[in-house]
Amino acid sequence: DAGVTQSPTHLIKTRGQQVTLRCSPKSGHDTVSWYQQALGQGPQFIFQYYEEEERQRGNFPDRFSGHQFPNYSSELNVNALLLGDSALYLCASSFRGEEKLFFGSGTQLSVL
Amino acid sequence: GIQVEQSPPDLILQEGANSTLRCNFSDSVNNLQWFHQNPWGQLINLFYIPSGTKQNGRLSATTVATERYSLLYISSSQTTDSGVYFCAVTVTGKLIFGQGTTLQVKP
């Protein structure tokens, strides 16, 4: 039973570029949430997708957008990258919005 | 919004020692979870514990919801216990994390 998988594991971009991160949820899960974890901090909620719609959003600008596909996988897009966007981006999945989440290993994004 | 505070921020132990990590939260919550983040960045769910006490091997957790705190106990620590421990509460479907406790267990 595959857990939550994320790709790529590491990514280096320059300021102003755009990036797309990908997540496949755990088998049987239909809800995907994205979190941003800056160095030395706890993860911060970005948004949650269920039934291909954004259901909840944290305090992040519109440069952060997402998508969920019919197979429940998800993408996180960040436009006009800033140095401050450098962080570990974590994807978590659950079933029907249950509170117990399963996390992937994350994508480490570095913006130079 | 709700605040989640963890203490201590850093902890260094010798292998075999016991430790207690604390998590305080500023408002009533329906649930609380403890996670261990391994060196590769993955968050592993240790306990889902809105109240009461649970045990899993050398780890146990207690949440006293009326007093707004939770404790994570690690007994007979091992080097593999090293990493960052987070507590998190659920607010309207999203997790609010504390800042974490970084644990280093020395052989």
Side-chain angles (χ1 to χ4, degrees):
Chain A
D1 177 24
V4 180
T5 58
Q6 293 186 240
S7 64
T9 55
H10 295 83
L11 203 51
I12 300 174
K13 292 286 188 178
T14 56
R15 281 180 298 174
Q17 285 188 312
Q18 178 264 343
V19 68
T20 298
L21 311 182
R22 296 176 176 82
C23 172
S24 292
K26 180 179 170 64
S27 178
H29 285 183
D30 57 9
T31 302
V32 173
S33 302
W34 287 91
Y35 288 78
Q36 180 196 64
Q37 186 178 16
L39 189 64
Q41 304 293 316
Q44 300 281 322
F45 175 77
I46 303 175
F47 42 52
Q48 180 187 78
Y49 277 84
Y50 172 65
E51 291 187 333
E52 302 179 49
E53 290 189 12
E54 183 182 293
R55 300 292 177 172
Q56 286 203 74
R57 189 178 184 90
N59 189 25
F60 280 81
D62 292 344
R63 298 187 297 109
F64 289 77
S65 63
H67 188 76
Q68 186 178 35
F69 299 93
N71 67 352
Y72 309 120
S73 66
S74 177
E75 289 182 349
L76 164 65
N77 301 292
V78 187
N79 295 323
L81 284 167
L82 303 174
L83 296 180
D85 295 332
S86 296
L88 179 67
Y89 288 85
L90 294 163
C91 170
S93 73
S94 62
F95 175 68
R96 299 276 170 93
E98 286 180 345
E99 293 176 344
K100 184 171 182 178
L101 301 184
F102 291 79
F103 282 83
S105 294
T107 294
Q108 184 65 55
L109 172 64
S110 298
V111 182
L112 305 179
Chain B
I2 191 168
Q3 303 295 314
V4 181
E5 295 181 353
Q6 292 186 240
S7 60
D10 300 282
L11 190 57
I12 300 175
L13 300 174
Q14 285 298 129
E15 199 168 28
N18 303 327
S19 62
T20 301
L21 282 58
R22 187 176 179 102
C23 174
N24 293 330
F25 40 98
S26 61
D27 205 348
S28 300
V29 297
N30 291 327
N31 69 76
L32 183 138
Q33 301 181 58
W34 283 97
F35 294 88
H36 176 221
Q37 189 166 39
N38 63 27
W40 298 272
Q42 187 163 15
L43 282 166
I44 307 297
N45 193 299
L46 298 175
F47 293 101
Y48 177 88
I49 184 167
S51 64
T53 298
K54 290 186 177 180
Q55 182 154 6
N56 184 2
R58 296 181 296 102
L59 273 60
S60 64
T62 295
T63 296
V64 183
T66 54
E67 298 186 21
R68 302 178 185 170
Y69 74 90
S70 183
L71 302 173
L72 178 68
Y73 305 95
I74 304 174
S75 64
S76 304
S77 58
Q78 301 176 358
T79 56
T80 53
D81 295 331
S82 296
V84 186
Y85 290 81
F86 289 101
C87 65
V89 299
T90 301
V91 177
T92 58
K94 58 182 181 284
L95 287 177
I96 307 296
F97 285 82
Q99 296 286 77
T101 292
T102 300
L103 174 63
Q104 182 182 359
V105 181
K106 294 186 173 182

